[in-house]
Amino acid sequence: MRRALPAFLAPLLLVFGCTRPEVEAFRQRPRPVVVTVSLPAQLADREGFQQEYASALRARLATRVVVVPGGVKPPVDAVELQVDIRDISQPSGQPTAAAVGVATGVTVGVLSAASGNRGWGVVDGLFWGLWAGSHAAMHQERTRDRLGYRPQVVRAQVRLMQPGNPEPLWVESIEPIEVVEAMDPLPPGLRDDDGRIREEEAKGFARVAVQKLAAYFQWARSSEQRFYEGPAAKKDEAPPPPADPVREPEKH
């Protein structure tokens, strides 16, 4: 038993031992977070998407750590959550089930023939092509049935940057399937509302990004949102009303 204990703890010690000092320091004492979102320059209504995604991320992240609201000057030690959305496109840009099947079939057929199975290369390609195509079709149909609408393709990379440090404290990629699975359905009356669909896409993206970030830094979810208030906001607060003067009892 004594020999098994070090072997069991070795992977944990390796993980924590390889953590950079600044990452561990931030994990122990997180600083306020500024959220910035960048999108492809050719995206229509780029500013609207930017505001929608930034708002969803701030609202979600504020239940884990202090977040700097948009337009508020951050403190000097604030970190920046850089969200680089590299692809956001209409569902028509996704490969169809037939395209997935053809691509898979051709690839499997070529590999099968190259491995010496020339007689069955076409059969292998046809079988696996049909399987991949039907699987892709079922997945797309399940997505539409669950959500009631066809979500856009969203692919991004998220980084947490510290002032003066060129190396990110944390970096993660977000794939379209993750965002789709995190989205909630819309009621029948709103399934054709582009604004509500965009809002739900942003919320799904925020759920994925914040969940990954919180899991890495071991942040627990709070029931209340926490936002940073700059010195100017504190000065603008109304002073407390003066206390009523204490009246001395009358002497008879």
Side-chain angles (χ1 to χ4, degrees), residues 219-241:
W219 292 338
R221 183 175 182 178
S222 173
S223 59
E224 297 181 355
Q225 294 177 318
R226 293 176 293 167
F227 291 99
Y228 170 78
E229 295 183 358
K234 295 181 180 179
K235 291 180 181 179
D236 293 339
E237 293 180 356

Short mmCIF file of all heavy atoms in Angstrom, two decimals, residues 219-241:
data_model
loop_
_atom_site.label_atom_id
_atom_site.label_comp_id
_atom_site.label_asym_id
_atom_site.label_seq_id
_atom_site.Cartn_x
_atom_site.Cartn_y
_atom_site.Cartn_z
N TRP A 219 -12.96 27.67 -10.34
CA TRP A 219 -13.84 28.70 -9.80
C TRP A 219 -15.22 28.11 -9.56
O TRP A 219 -15.78 27.45 -10.43
CB TRP A 219 -13.96 29.88 -10.76
CG TRP A 219 -12.69 30.66 -10.91
CD1 TRP A 219 -11.65 30.72 -10.04
CD2 TRP A 219 -12.33 31.50 -12.02
NE1 TRP A 219 -10.67 31.54 -10.53
CE2 TRP A 219 -11.05 32.04 -11.73
CE3 TRP A 219 -12.96 31.85 -13.21
CZ2 TRP A 219 -10.40 32.90 -12.60
CZ3 TRP A 219 -12.32 32.71 -14.08
CH2 TRP A 219 -11.05 33.23 -13.77
N ALA A 220 -15.76 28.37 -8.39
CA ALA A 220 -17.12 27.93 -8.08
C ALA A 220 -18.11 28.98 -8.57
O ALA A 220 -17.81 30.18 -8.63
CB ALA A 220 -17.27 27.71 -6.58
N ARG A 221 -19.30 28.52 -8.91
CA ARG A 221 -20.33 29.43 -9.39
C ARG A 221 -21.03 30.10 -8.22
O ARG A 221 -21.40 29.46 -7.24
CB ARG A 221 -21.34 28.68 -10.25
CG ARG A 221 -22.41 29.58 -10.85
CD ARG A 221 -23.31 28.81 -11.79
NE ARG A 221 -24.30 29.67 -12.40
CZ ARG A 221 -25.19 29.27 -13.30
NH1 ARG A 221 -25.20 28.00 -13.68
NH2 ARG A 221 -26.06 30.12 -13.82
N SER A 222 -21.22 31.41 -8.33
CA SER A 222 -21.90 32.18 -7.30
C SER A 222 -23.33 32.47 -7.74
O SER A 222 -23.64 32.51 -8.94
CB SER A 222 -21.16 33.49 -7.04
OG SER A 222 -21.89 34.33 -6.16
N SER A 223 -24.19 32.67 -6.79
CA SER A 223 -25.59 32.98 -7.10
C SER A 223 -25.77 34.44 -7.49
O SER A 223 -26.82 34.82 -8.01
CB SER A 223 -26.48 32.67 -5.89
OG SER A 223 -26.06 33.41 -4.75
N GLU A 224 -24.75 35.26 -7.27
CA GLU A 224 -24.82 36.69 -7.59
C GLU A 224 -23.71 37.06 -8.56
O GLU A 224 -22.63 36.46 -8.56
CB GLU A 224 -24.70 37.54 -6.32
CG GLU A 224 -25.82 37.32 -5.32
CD GLU A 224 -25.67 38.20 -4.09
OE1 GLU A 224 -24.62 38.90 -4.00
OE2 GLU A 224 -26.56 38.20 -3.24
N GLN A 225 -24.00 38.04 -9.39
CA GLN A 225 -23.00 38.56 -10.31
C GLN A 225 -22.15 39.61 -9.60
O GLN A 225 -22.65 40.39 -8.79
CB GLN A 225 -23.66 39.17 -11.54
CG GLN A 225 -24.38 38.17 -12.42
CD GLN A 225 -25.09 38.85 -13.57
OE1 GLN A 225 -25.70 39.89 -13.41
NE2 GLN A 225 -25.01 38.25 -14.75
N ARG A 226 -20.87 39.64 -9.95
CA ARG A 226 -19.94 40.61 -9.35
C ARG A 226 -19.28 41.42 -10.46
O ARG A 226 -18.63 40.87 -11.34
CB ARG A 226 -18.88 39.88 -8.52
CG ARG A 226 -19.43 39.18 -7.28
CD ARG A 226 -18.35 38.41 -6.56
NE ARG A 226 -17.89 37.28 -7.37
CZ ARG A 226 -16.79 36.58 -7.11
NH1 ARG A 226 -16.02 36.92 -6.09
NH2 ARG A 226 -16.45 35.56 -7.89
N PHE A 227 -19.47 42.74 -10.38
CA PHE A 227 -18.91 43.64 -11.38
C PHE A 227 -18.00 44.66 -10.69
O PHE A 227 -18.29 45.12 -9.58
CB PHE A 227 -20.01 44.36 -12.15
CG PHE A 227 -20.79 43.46 -13.07
CD1 PHE A 227 -22.03 42.97 -12.68
CD2 PHE A 227 -20.29 43.10 -14.31
CE1 PHE A 227 -22.75 42.14 -13.51
CE2 PHE A 227 -21.00 42.27 -15.15
CZ PHE A 227 -22.24 41.78 -14.75
N TYR A 228 -16.93 45.00 -11.39
CA TYR A 228 -15.97 45.97 -10.85
C TYR A 228 -16.56 47.37 -10.94
O TYR A 228 -17.15 47.75 -11.95
CB TYR A 228 -14.67 45.88 -11.64
CG TYR A 228 -13.68 46.99 -11.33
CD1 TYR A 228 -12.91 46.96 -10.18
CD2 TYR A 228 -13.54 48.07 -12.20
CE1 TYR A 228 -12.01 47.96 -9.89
CE2 TYR A 228 -12.63 49.08 -11.93
CZ TYR A 228 -11.88 49.03 -10.77
OH TYR A 228 -10.99 50.03 -10.50
N GLU A 229 -16.38 48.14 -9.89
CA GLU A 229 -16.79 49.53 -9.86
C GLU A 229 -15.56 50.40 -9.72
O GLU A 229 -14.80 50.27 -8.75
CB GLU A 229 -17.76 49.79 -8.70
CG GLU A 229 -19.08 49.05 -8.82
CD GLU A 229 -20.02 49.39 -7.68
OE1 GLU A 229 -19.60 50.18 -6.80
OE2 GLU A 229 -21.15 48.89 -7.67
N GLY A 230 -15.35 51.27 -10.69
CA GLY A 230 -14.18 52.13 -10.65
C GLY A 230 -14.29 53.20 -9.59
O GLY A 230 -15.35 53.42 -8.99
N PRO A 231 -13.19 53.91 -9.35
CA PRO A 231 -13.20 54.99 -8.34
C PRO A 231 -14.23 56.06 -8.65
O PRO A 231 -14.84 56.62 -7.75
CB PRO A 231 -11.78 55.55 -8.42
CG PRO A 231 -10.95 54.43 -8.99
CD PRO A 231 -11.86 53.70 -9.93
N ALA A 232 -14.45 56.35 -9.95
CA ALA A 232 -15.42 57.39 -10.30
C ALA A 232 -16.82 57.00 -9.87
O ALA A 232 -17.61 57.83 -9.41
CB ALA A 232 -15.38 57.65 -11.80
N ALA A 233 -17.16 55.71 -10.02
CA ALA A 233 -18.50 55.26 -9.63
C ALA A 233 -18.70 55.38 -8.13
O ALA A 233 -19.77 55.73 -7.66
CB ALA A 233 -18.71 53.81 -10.07
N LYS A 234 -17.63 55.12 -7.37
CA LYS A 234 -17.75 55.22 -5.92
C LYS A 234 -17.91 56.67 -5.47
O LYS A 234 -18.59 56.97 -4.51
CB LYS A 234 -16.53 54.58 -5.26
CG LYS A 234 -16.44 53.08 -5.50
CD LYS A 234 -15.23 52.48 -4.82
CE LYS A 234 -15.15 50.98 -5.06
NZ LYS A 234 -13.96 50.38 -4.41
N LYS A 235 -17.26 57.61 -6.21
CA LYS A 235 -17.38 59.01 -5.85
C LYS A 235 -18.78 59.53 -6.13
O LYS A 235 -19.27 60.44 -5.46
CB LYS A 235 -16.36 59.84 -6.63
CG LYS A 235 -14.92 59.59 -6.21
CD LYS A 235 -13.96 60.44 -7.02
CE LYS A 235 -12.52 60.18 -6.61
NZ LYS A 235 -11.56 60.99 -7.42
N ASP A 236 -19.42 58.97 -7.18
CA ASP A 236 -20.75 59.44 -7.56
C ASP A 236 -21.83 58.94 -6.62
O ASP A 236 -22.98 59.38 -6.71
CB ASP A 236 -21.08 59.00 -8.99
CG ASP A 236 -20.17 59.69 -10.00
OD1 ASP A 236 -19.61 60.74 -9.65
OD2 ASP A 236 -20.03 59.17 -11.12
N GLU A 237 -21.51 57.99 -5.77
CA GLU A 237 -22.52 57.48 -4.86
C GLU A 237 -22.94 58.58 -3.88
O GLU A 237 -22.12 59.34 -3.37
CB GLU A 237 -21.98 56.28 -4.08
CG GLU A 237 -21.72 55.06 -4.96
CD GLU A 237 -21.19 53.90 -4.15
OE1 GLU A 237 -20.96 54.11 -2.93
OE2 GLU A 237 -20.99 52.82 -4.71
N ALA A 238 -24.22 58.65 -3.64
CA ALA A 238 -24.74 59.67 -2.73
C ALA A 238 -24.26 59.39 -1.31
O ALA A 238 -24.26 58.24 -0.87
CB ALA A 238 -26.26 59.68 -2.78
N PRO A 239 -23.83 60.43 -0.59
CA PRO A 239 -23.38 60.19 0.78
C PRO A 239 -24.56 59.79 1.66
O PRO A 239 -25.71 60.13 1.37
CB PRO A 239 -22.82 61.56 1.20
CG PRO A 239 -23.53 62.54 0.31
CD PRO A 239 -23.76 61.83 -0.99
N PRO A 240 -24.29 59.05 2.69
CA PRO A 240 -25.39 58.62 3.57
C PRO A 240 -26.03 59.83 4.24
O PRO A 240 -25.37 60.84 4.51
CB PRO A 240 -24.69 57.71 4.58
CG PRO A 240 -23.26 58.14 4.56
CD PRO A 240 -22.99 58.57 3.16
N PRO A 241 -27.33 59.78 4.48
CA PRO A 241 -28.00 60.92 5.12
C PRO A 241 -27.46 61.13 6.53
O PRO A 241 -27.06 60.18 7.20
CB PRO A 241 -29.47 60.48 5.14
CG PRO A 241 -29.43 58.99 5.06
CD PRO A 241 -28.23 58.66 4.24
#
